Amino acid sequence: MHGLLNLIYRFYPLLIAALLAAGATWLERTTRSPEPIADTTVSQTPDFIAETIRITGFAKDGELRYTLDSPRLTHLPVTDLTHIEQPKLQLIAQGRHLRINAKHGEVGPKGEQVDFTGNVEAEREGTPSEAPLRLFSEQLTVWPQEQRAASNVPVRLTQGETRADANKFAADNIFGVMKLSGKVRMLLASRNKRNP
């Protein structure tokens, strides 16, 4: 018995320390707040919404390059994407205008890319010797500063009585050469016969 008491006295400080550690662990676990559950709606919460907006871009020389109008704009901070309703983009180059309308639009970070979806219609202004050029598609991506556009879904182009249908479309210079690819069908307007 005497040996048991000596053993307890010898390990008494260690036993107290172990009991305190166990108590502290239990107390920490019972008072810990539960881990927050990831809220997926946070990433979809806009940081600002604007109505009746106009975004304007200028070239390095200060010339007006483009305007983008929309009745409603919503910006999502996590993805840095801006959703626009009924966008109307007007590009200006060499004194000519290109107008693009759609049901929806999405502007990428820094405004470098605009994706149009739903009943996309584009019209490039004509000249005295050239009829306006019109494009119809369900999707069109435009890089306003670079004056480029592309679509990976079927498009229809019309100019006067000339019509072209293609699976894909690209224009490195919106006011210059355009490339049609995939299954391409063209209907060329007949030219008037010259008088002898």
Side-chain angles (χ1 to χ4, degrees), residues 102-172:
K103 283 187 176 179
H104 309 285
E106 188 174 84
V107 181
K110 301 179 184 177
E112 295 172 355
Q113 176 179 323
V114 184
D115 293 305
F116 296 95
T117 54
N119 292 339
V120 180
E121 295 183 13
E123 180 178 345
R124 186 178 73 185
E125 196 173 51
T127 65
S129 61
E130 182 180 89
L133 177 69
R134 294 183 175 90
L135 177 142
F136 305 91
S137 183
E138 280 301 306
Q139 181 272 332
L140 182 69
T141 299
V142 177
W143 294 267
Q145 290 290 350
E146 299 174 22
Q147 301 283 308
R148 291 191 305 119
S151 179
N152 289 322
V153 302
V155 299
R156 171 168 287 177
L157 290 166
T158 63
Q159 188 171 34
E161 294 180 14
T162 299
R163 189 179 83 192
D165 295 285
N167 291 344
K168 294 182 180 181
F169 162 85
D172 285 335

Side-chain angles (χ1 to χ4, degrees), residues 39-47 74-79 83:
D39 186 2
T40 56
T41 60
V42 172
S43 64
Q44 299 303 319
T45 303
D47 59 350
T74 305
H75 181 260
L76 302 175
V78 173
T79 57
H83 298 283

Side-chain angles (χ1 to χ4, degrees), residues 27-132:
L27 185 60
E28 190 270 334
R29 286 185 181 171
T30 57
T31 59
R32 180 190 310 167
S33 60
E35 291 292 324
I37 298 172
D39 186 2
T40 56
T41 60
V42 172
S43 64
Q44 299 303 319
T45 303
D47 59 350
F48 71 83
I49 296 171
E51 295 185 354
T52 315
I53 62 97
R54 170 169 279 186
I55 299 171
T56 305
F58 295 90
K60 292 179 181 179
D61 61 2
E63 289 290 318
L64 180 63
R65 199 73 181 264
Y66 67 88
T67 60
L68 177 63
D69 294 283
S70 171
R72 185 177 173 88
L73 174 150
T74 305
H75 181 260
L76 302 175
V78 173
T79 57
D80 198 18
L81 294 176
T82 303
H83 298 283
I84 46 179
E85 296 177 13
Q86 300 170 20
K88 294 181 180 181
L89 176 67
Q90 179 174 231
L91 295 169
I92 304 159
Q94 301 161 358
R96 297 176 72 183
H97 295 246
L98 172 71
R99 295 172 183 87
I100 303 171
N101 303 323
K103 283 187 176 179
H104 309 285
E106 188 174 84
V107 181
K110 301 179 184 177
E112 295 172 355
Q113 176 179 323
V114 184
D115 293 305
F116 296 95
T117 54
N119 292 339
V120 180
E121 295 183 13
E123 180 178 345
R124 186 178 73 185
E125 196 173 51
T127 65
S129 61
E130 182 180 89

